[in-house]
Amino acid sequence: MSDKATLTIGEKSFDLPIMKGSTGPDVVDVRKFYAEADHFTFDPGFTSTASCESKITYIDGDAGILLHRGYPIDQLAEKSSFLEVCHLLLNGELPTADEFRKFEHNITYHTMLHAQFDSFFQGFRRDAHPMAVMTGAVGALSAFYADSLNVDDPKQREISAHRLIAKMPTIAARAFQYSQGRPFVTPRNELSYSENFLRMCFSVPAEDWVPNPVLTRAMDRIFILHADHEQNASTSTVRLAGSSGAHPFACIAAGIACLWGPSHGGANQEALEMLEEIGTVENIPAYVQGVKDRKYKLMGFGHRVYKNFDPRAKVMQKTCYEVLDQLGINDPLLQVAMELEKVALSDPFFIDRKLYPNIDFYSGITLRAMGFPTNMFTVLFALARTVGWISQWKEMFEDPSRKIGRPRQLYTGPTQRDYAPVETRG
Ligand code: SDX
């Protein structure tokens, strides 16, 4: 394989070094190209652009492969725990038993929020979308932890990462309880991460909360499936915000804002609402025709990188069956989803565009069965993705070649012209 690419413009040729990864596409290094050729490269949406070098997550979109530090997502979902995956993403290796005990203790003892923080929620209307609350609340954490402002100090970066992983469930549960008009529930240190979260969401002072191990396992697995996903839109947002040296909590708030979009993390809410709109299997053909007529997109389908099955969607579908079975729920929307998937996967419109179910297609049915309203779905995605965001943010700071992100543009606006007095206009 060649170690350089040659680009010719007019009479001039420019040699561009090729950098090789451990797997996946190599890259053409264009960092010096503008200085040498007085041309920018052009790639809105970054469909062909690597924004960074990373060792955290690898996706092979054609093969439907997702690895976290080399471990396949289906093995992690089956055999690991979310907190163990957090250690893996943050530190690069699965923890030893002793390392896990220390990590779990560290996270557990950061789950509480500053007592004053609870009044922050009172500023929201009860019907505020929980993602609006998450965006505001996580950004506000910047005001509470002035002791970790120095992002160039690895110890302060580590404490911020632990605080975020630990406090996101507490904030998310408060956003949920606030929207339901129920009192906030304090975390309990004897509970596991996902059990603690479910208790903070669903327990009420009027009776003892009874954990359901199947739902706890399902929640933990759903968090694993959503933990990280290479340089997606929200992760790129966190990296770009972090490249200016902004406070990590503010960077994560920026990631939450980006994730909320319906083309990204907001798709899990949109996908369930789509299934509700379709309603019955009989309505599927008409709805699919609307997709083909470009009236709307099939939510929970398609992906920028996966042009094959999203490996997370398969695990999500299996988890969906387990939860519905455990709860004895026969959700008609599951039948609609399965039939819709079958119709779409056999229709040339979707086959030609390589549109397959993504992680958001089955997550909504599962989360609704667990008792979450649709407006909480993306909050759960943000809770889980926080470890991915902060791991990528941490990796950026460990890269000695780090620079502030500052893309350029192709300018097609007016060239220089003189100011015209108002009486000469029109
Ligand atoms: C997530 O990046 C990540 O990794 C994201 C994520 C993560 O973990 O961080 O995986 C999480 O965001 C998953 C995606 C959730 N979004 C949705 O389910 C919303 C529906 N999907 C689409 O909006 C779309 O598929 C995207 C945004 C996900 C991807 O869009 P791309 O890569 O920009 O693809 P495209 O728009 O260029 O689509 C190619 C063609 C187009 O048709 P043509 O103009 O070529 O004829 O496919 C069509 C699109 O119109 N198309 C769809 C479609 N998705 C793409 N048509 C109908 N329904 C869809 N869902």
Side-chain angles (χ1 to χ4, degrees):
M1 285 293 279
S2 170
D3 60 359
K4 68 178 171 59
T6 301
L7 198 154
T8 301
I9 300 176
E11 301 300 311
K12 292 181 86 175
S13 290
F14 304 91
D15 286 343
L16 301 167
I18 286 178
M19 295 168 69
K20 296 184 178 311
S22 46
T23 183
D26 296 335
V27 299
V28 177
D29 183 348
V30 295
R31 282 175 286 189
K32 295 192 169 62
F33 180 63
Y34 170 55
E36 292 169 4
D38 196 28
H39 280 65
F40 295 137
T41 59
F42 186 68
D43 186 16
F46 313 118
T47 49
S48 301
T49 294
S51 62
C52 63
E53 179 179 337
S54 181
K55 297 176 170 52
I56 298 175
T57 291
Y58 173 69
I59 301 172
D60 180 333
D62 293 327
I65 289 171
L66 167 57
L67 307 177
H68 288 318
R69 304 285 191 178
Y71 295 100
I73 187 66
D74 49 330
Q75 290 185 29
L76 292 173
E78 209 54 48
K79 299 172 181 170
S80 187
S81 69
F82 179 64
L83 267 197
E84 194 178 62
V85 170
C86 286
H87 184 283
L88 175 67
L89 291 171
L90 267 176
N91 303 312
E93 295 295 339
L94 289 168
T96 62
D98 188 45
E99 287 169 337
F100 183 72
R101 258 192 306 279
K102 287 181 185 142
F103 183 74
E104 184 176 43
H105 181 273
N106 220 337
I107 297 301
T108 301
Y109 282 79
H110 280 99
T111 49
M112 286 183 66
L113 291 168
H114 188 292
Q116 260 188 274
F117 200 85
D118 280 358
S119 57
F120 183 86
F121 295 90
Q122 307 308 326
F124 288 96
R125 288 168 44 127
R126 289 283 178 178
D127 62 355
H129 194 294
M131 280 299 278
V133 176
M134 291 298 289
T135 306
V138 174
L141 282 177
S142 311
F144 284 79
Y145 297 102
D147 67 340
S148 59
L149 276 171
N150 178 8
V151 292
D152 292 314
D153 175 351
K155 287 311 285 172
Q156 293 189 39
R157 292 202 297 265
E158 184 181 52
I159 181 65
S160 290
H162 291 170
R163 279 173 172 151
L164 278 158
I165 294 167
K167 296 178 193 305
M168 282 298 274
T170 311
I171 296 172
R174 270 152 166 66
F176 177 46
Q177 293 285 51
Y178 186 74
S179 71
Q180 302 294 311
R182 294 194 297 249
F184 294 155
V185 179
T186 305
R188 295 286 310 172
N189 291 347
E190 74 275 10
L191 299 179
S192 69
Y193 188 90
S194 295
E195 203 168 46
N196 215 351
F197 174 64
L198 290 175
R199 180 179 168 276
M200 288 191 282
C201 285
F202 295 111
S203 75
V204 290
E207 59 187 27
D208 291 338
W209 180 75
V210 180
N212 179 325
V214 173
L215 296 189
T216 298
R217 181 71 191 117
M219 189 79 267
D220 205 65
R221 189 182 295 158
I222 290 168
F223 287 159
I224 292 173
L225 293 176
H226 289 81
D228 188 52
H229 213 237
E230 200 209 68
Q231 306 311 319
N232 59 83
S234 52
T235 297
S236 300
T237 300
V238 171
R239 277 182 173 260
L240 193 56
S243 72
S244 73
H247 198 296
F249 300 106
C251 296
I252 298 300
I256 294 171
C258 177
L259 184 75
W260 193 1
S263 289
H264 190 12
N268 53 19
Q269 173 172 345
E270 301 273 336
L272 190 91
E273 288 167 355
M274 172 189 74
L275 293 173
E276 287 173 329
E277 184 186 343
I278 295 171
T280 64
V281 169
E282 292 70 31
N283 294 338
I284 289 176
Y287 194 87
V288 167
Q289 189 52 52
V291 174
K292 293 157 78 168
D293 296 343
R294 309 312 179 97
K295 289 179 184 161
Y296 36 73
K297 293 206 167 171
L298 198 60
M299 302 313 281
F301 258 72
H303 199 276
R304 170 59 57 77
V305 177
Y306 290 122
K307 301 307 174 189
N308 193 325
F309 246 90
D310 179 337
R312 303 168 297 175
K314 290 179 180 172
V315 181
M316 197 66 245
Q317 186 182 50
K318 179 168 171 278
T319 304
C320 185
Y321 296 154
E322 283 171 7
V323 167
L324 294 183
D325 184 51
Q326 163 66 17
L327 297 174
I329 295 175
N330 178 21
D331 187 342
L333 291 188
L334 179 61
Q335 311 315 322
V336 174
M338 290 166 64
E339 180 60 22
L340 179 57
E341 178 185 344
K342 202 164 82 180
V343 167
L345 294 183
S346 60
D347 187 306
F349 176 89
F350 300 92
I351 296 169
D352 295 347
R353 291 168 179 77
K354 298 185 177 180
L355 301 179
Y356 291 87
N358 59 47
I359 188 165
D360 296 311
F361 191 64
Y362 283 102
S363 56
I365 298 172
T366 313
L367 296 173
R368 187 172 77 152
M370 295 174 73
F372 292 105
T374 49
N375 67 7
M376 273 295 290
F377 292 177
T378 312
V379 170
L380 301 174
F381 195 151
L383 187 167
R385 185 51 60 86
T386 294
V387 64
W389 289 329
I390 204 66
S391 299
Q392 300 268 354
W393 172 86
K394 173 175 173 282
E395 182 180 63
M396 177 176 69
F397 278 93
E398 289 161 353
D399 177 352
S401 68
R402 170 172 70 91
K403 285 178 178 298
I404 186 169
R406 204 304 186 187
R408 302 302 303 272
Q409 61 179 13
L410 170 67
Y411 179 71
T412 55
T415 52
Q416 185 166 329
R417 53 183 171 165
D418 295 328
Y419 180 80
V422 65
E423 54 275 7
T424 66
R425 298 171 205 157

